[in-house]
Amino acid sequence: PDNPDLLYNIGVINMEQGNLQDARDAYKKTLAIDPGYINALLNLSTTYVNEGNGLIDEMNALGNSKADIAKYDELKEKKDSLFREGATVLEDALQSNPDNESILTQLKNIYGALGDNENFMRIKKLLGE
């Protein structure tokens, strides 16, 4: 219960099996023991992005009826909320890891997917792009 590497690996296995909430729980336990565990931070963020990406297929399958448009808007807000949650994990991680390229790259990708140009450009600048 106190081994961050084992807890992290439990998270990885759960994530690979699509058990995103169990993966999040394992990554959070890992981070409670070792707050600087970069891969746990990245994967915790990824669980939110993966869940959001899972909604995209459902969104794309909708038609043009009024009900479908309403459902699309609802799913889009949920997807964006999940992406923002993933970004929050990484923004918090940046406080203690301001130069970590993996964190910055993943954060840039999330902001790009959200269409958040201001933050996208801010992260690009931090990456030296």
Side-chain angles (χ1 to χ4, degrees):
D2 296 331
N3 185 321
D5 293 326
L6 291 178
L7 289 166
Y8 169 77
N9 285 322
I10 289 170
V12 169
I13 290 166
N14 276 297
M15 196 160 90
E16 287 175 353
Q17 293 178 344
N19 303 323
L20 297 178
Q21 189 55 55
D22 290 339
R24 282 183 197 129
D25 292 343
Y27 294 138
K28 287 176 182 177
K29 287 177 186 174
T30 302
L31 293 166
I33 297 166
D34 182 357
Y37 204 122
I38 297 296
N39 287 336
L41 289 163
L42 289 167
N43 282 4
L44 177 59
S45 171
T46 299
T47 64
Y48 294 107
V49 172
N50 286 352
E51 186 176 345
N53 283 336
L55 297 175
I56 292 173
D57 290 337
E58 193 176 341
M59 291 164 61
N60 290 338
L62 293 169
N64 292 322
S65 72
K66 192 170 186 172
D68 282 350
I69 291 170
K71 181 70 173 172
Y72 180 92
D73 291 343
E74 176 186 323
L75 291 171
K76 183 180 184 314
E77 180 51 42
K78 186 174 179 184
K79 174 192 70 82
D80 289 352
S81 176
L82 287 163
F83 279 22
R84 285 191 295 272
E85 185 69 29
T88 298
V89 169
L90 298 178
E91 287 285 2
D92 291 346
L94 270 185
Q95 301 305 311
S96 54
N97 304 283
D99 299 323
N100 186 288
E101 195 168 319
S102 296
I103 292 172
L104 289 167
T105 299
Q106 188 162 324
L107 200 48
K108 180 186 82 168
N109 292 339
I110 291 171
Y111 286 136
L114 280 168
D116 183 343
N117 199 48
E118 182 179 331
N119 280 314
F120 179 79
M121 296 308 288
R122 175 177 62 88
I123 300 300
K124 273 186 72 141
K125 189 174 182 181
L126 291 173
L127 279 165
E129 295 178 1

